[in-house]
Amino acid sequence: MIVNLNDPRVIRTRQLLMQAFTELLEQKRNIYSISVHDITTRATVNRATFYAHFEDKFAFLENWMLDKSQIILKKRLPHESKFNVGCLPTLIQIVFEFLTGFRQHITPGDKQFEPMFEIAMQKEVHQLLLKWLRKEAVTGVSQEKLEATSLVISWGIFGSALQWSRNPQGRKVETMVNEVLEVVAASLAPVLERRTE
């Protein structure tokens, strides 16, 4: 069964499921012990409804993480139409803070879900950068180059934050953000050079 993601009932049901999972996570403090039964009971929907919306728990968790990533980015950044080069430090800091917070709350049993959550955040950063570059790039830059640029930069930001969150070695987040920003700015120069002079 395919659900219409624009249908208000579908939106409401998904919100109920997401909220139920968030509440359960706050109570149980680990992901692996939360079952589909727990989620549907808390959301007051049946299992068939859950599976009409999500293939399995992994699909649900990926969707939940994408939703959380979007909320985090929207809270701290201006609307994507107003995103500009001045927003890059904030974007980089959000990624570093997200991974630091995520690592503090993950339990040994949750390790299996770690890559899924990390990739969800990286995808959101990639999409945001790509939309921005499509609006701001100098004339004549191919879509392929914009796609490659946003992909490399999003992974660069994310990879730096991931490595640092695993082993900060006494380096402050502000220092890391500035260092990553310097590299990102240099990487963006070829596609934005006339706009940033």
Side-chain angles (χ1 to χ4, degrees), residues 117-128:
F117 291 159
E118 292 169 350
I119 289 170
M121 178 55 111
Q122 183 277 327
K123 280 182 183 177
E124 282 305 306
V125 173
H126 170 242
Q127 289 303 315
L128 178 63

Side-chain angles (χ1 to χ4, degrees), residues 91-193:
L91 175 62
I92 296 166
Q93 186 159 0
I94 289 168
V95 175
F96 272 79
E97 290 172 358
F98 167 80
L99 286 171
T100 302
F102 176 71
R103 194 147 314 284
Q104 290 171 351
H105 292 98
I106 198 161
T107 66
D110 295 334
K111 290 284 186 192
Q112 62 183 318
F113 305 112
E114 192 173 356
M116 180 190 322
F117 291 159
E118 292 169 350
I119 289 170
M121 178 55 111
Q122 183 277 327
K123 280 182 183 177
E124 282 305 306
V125 173
H126 170 242
Q127 289 303 315
L128 178 63
L129 287 171
L130 183 58
K131 285 177 187 174
W132 172 60
L133 286 176
R134 284 180 174 153
K135 291 178 187 172
E136 298 298 321
V138 293
T139 306
V141 177
S142 70
Q143 288 302 308
E144 290 81 12
K145 181 160 186 165
L146 295 179
E147 174 72 33
T149 301
S150 63
L151 191 61
V152 168
I153 289 172
S154 64
W155 274 112
I157 293 169
F158 194 81
S160 300
L162 182 62
Q163 184 66 31
W164 178 83
S165 72
R166 289 179 176 164
N167 186 15
Q169 297 180 331
R171 301 181 79 196
K172 293 184 177 181
V173 70
E174 295 81 11
T175 303
M176 291 301 301
V177 168
N178 288 333
E179 289 176 4
V180 172
L181 179 60
E182 193 175 318
V183 174
V184 167
S187 301
L188 286 171
V191 294
L192 296 175
E193 59 188 349

Side-chain angles (χ1 to χ4, degrees), residues 10-24:
V10 170
I11 293 168
R12 177 73 181 133
T13 300
R14 285 180 165 235
Q15 286 173 341
L16 284 171
L17 292 166
M18 298 290 172
Q19 182 61 36
F21 179 76
T22 300
E23 290 169 4
L24 288 165

Side-chain angles (χ1 to χ4, degrees), residues 68-87:
K68 286 289 175 196
S69 299
Q70 290 169 352
I71 290 167
I72 290 166
L73 290 170
K74 285 178 183 173
K75 276 185 180 176
R76 302 261 312 270
L77 290 171
H79 186 271
E80 60 193 39
S81 65
K82 295 182 179 165
F83 189 85
N84 59 47
V85 77
C87 298

